[in-house]
Amino acid sequence: MKIIHFSDPHGGGPAEDMMAYFDKRWVGVFNYSFRRKFRHDLSHLARAVEYILDIKPDIAVCTGDLTSAGQPGEFEKVLKIIEPLYKSGIPLLYTPGNHDCYVRRPKCIAAVKNAVLLMSQGKYSFDDLPLKIHLDGVDFIVINTSAPSNLLCSWGFLKKGDSEFVENICSQDDGVPKVLISHYPMIEERPFLRIRHRLFGQKKILQLMDKKKLDLVLCGHVHKPYLKVDEQGRGECCAGSVSSNASLVEINCEPGKHCFEFKPVKL
């Protein structure tokens, strides 16, 4: 099985309504206007889509942060670029990032829910998460770790019920490789230094990884790609930001075998 993993395009733009100046969106708009737009180039995302369509993997995975402030116009901009992929028939799994779930404004919530439906080709909705999708001998577990937080933090939270959902699937000794799809990394080596950007509630997931019950975590959030895996490729793969690094990751997994090979791709 060939998996293509990409993440964090961070499409952005100006404030789309006056209320954006009275909620957290102004932080995202400010960040995009003075920092992100100089670091993130959506033409890299377009090349990534072309590459995926050419390679024709068994599945593509996007681990969130399509936008910078969760605004409908930002989603529209990025989804237009990704449209050839989610209309191609190649299975595509997407979980929202914290910038996609930025605020509780109804139109922003509607926009991220629409994005989940489009990206998943109508196979699941925002409210269906967490869920398991079995494809070609591999269990993919999709969870949502993103929700609006305060102005200064980009926290993620793994709810107790979602953690138990993952634990229940991974407790099944069926010989099927288990791949978790999350925006936030499970492994945090600097929890105090990254306190404003970290995930909370992942203790049981780390135990599952340590016991080899959960084979691989695919994540984003951290914009510099990394691999934290053992000699069999079990562990965690962060794709980084496709628009910032012009990169994605090819992952090869032989169904029924708990080993993975990784090929970083520079576009």
Side-chain angles (χ1 to χ4, degrees):
M1 163 178 275
K2 185 182 291 294
I3 305 165
I4 297 288
H5 178 206
F6 68 100
S7 195
D8 292 66
H10 279 294
E16 296 180 12
D17 59 71
M18 285 301 297
M19 292 306 297
Y21 296 103
F22 297 93
D23 60 33
K24 190 178 179 178
R25 280 178 289 170
W26 73 263
V27 177
V29 169
F30 182 89
N31 195 345
Y32 175 78
S33 299
F34 293 96
R35 189 168 70 97
R36 289 196 196 280
K37 75 176 182 180
F38 302 108
R39 299 183 181 185
H40 296 267
D41 184 348
L42 288 180
S43 70
H44 299 326
L45 174 63
R47 291 205 300 276
V49 169
E50 292 176 359
Y51 181 87
I52 296 169
L53 293 174
D54 184 56
I55 291 296
K56 294 181 176 61
D58 297 291
I59 190 168
V61 174
C62 176
T63 46
D65 275 357
L66 300 182
T67 71
S68 290
Q71 301 184 104
E74 296 176 347
F75 278 108
E76 184 178 355
K77 179 191 298 185
V78 177
L79 288 170
K80 185 175 181 180
I81 298 172
I82 301 177
E83 183 176 14
L85 175 56
Y86 65 71
K87 286 189 173 180
S88 70
I90 296 170
L92 175 61
L93 301 182
Y94 159 68
T95 188
N98 58 296
H99 283 267
D100 300 332
C101 300
Y102 215 52
V103 292
R104 292 184 173 86
R105 297 290 177 187
K107 68 178 185 179
C108 295
I109 294 172
V112 69
K113 288 188 173 184
N114 178 62
V116 173
L117 276 174
L118 289 175
M119 293 280 283
S120 71
Q121 303 155 332
K123 292 182 174 64
Y124 61 87
S125 70
F126 182 94
D127 296 319
D128 289 331
L129 301 176
L131 82 163
K132 181 187 80 171
I133 295 177
H134 184 84
L135 182 68
D136 292 344
V138 177
D139 282 344
F140 293 91
I141 309 167
V142 188
I143 60 172
N144 176 27
T145 47
S146 301
S149 61
N150 64 47
L151 287 174
L152 299 178
C153 294
S154 301
W155 289 326
F157 296 92
L158 181 56
K159 298 176 183 177
K160 181 180 179 182
D162 292 4
S163 178
E164 291 173 348
F165 178 86
V166 177
E167 187 176 21
N168 181 56
I169 292 172
C170 293
S171 66
Q172 301 170 15
D173 190 17
D174 53 10
V176 177
K178 305 291 192 294
V179 178
L180 182 68
I181 297 172
S182 164
H183 175 65
Y184 284 85
M186 296 294 134
I187 300 172
E188 182 54 77
E189 296 175 342
R190 298 178 296 169
F192 294 105
L193 291 177
R194 286 185 49 81
I195 190 69
R196 293 192 305 109
H197 306 282
R198 61 161 297 186
L199 176 69
F200 294 89
Q202 78 275 46
K203 182 178 179 180
K204 287 185 177 180
I205 305 301
L206 293 171
Q207 291 172 349
L208 290 170
M209 294 171 70
D210 186 57
K211 294 176 181 177
K212 309 299 184 185
K213 298 289 187 180
L214 177 62
D215 295 284
L216 181 64
V217 175
L218 302 182
C219 63
H221 192 56
V222 177
H223 290 178
K224 185 176 181 180
Y226 65 75
L227 278 174
K228 297 176 181 177
V229 296
D230 62 15
E231 63 279 359
Q232 292 181 298
R234 285 170 150 179
E236 185 168 83
C237 170
C238 177
S241 169
V242 62
S243 58
S244 177
N245 299 291
S247 62
L248 46 74
V249 183
E250 279 187 31
I251 305 164
N252 287 293
C253 168
E254 188 173 340
K257 294 189 176 180
H258 300 266
C259 55
F260 304 84
E261 295 179 353
F262 302 87
K263 176 186 173 183
V265 176
K266 195 73 172 178
L267 299 164

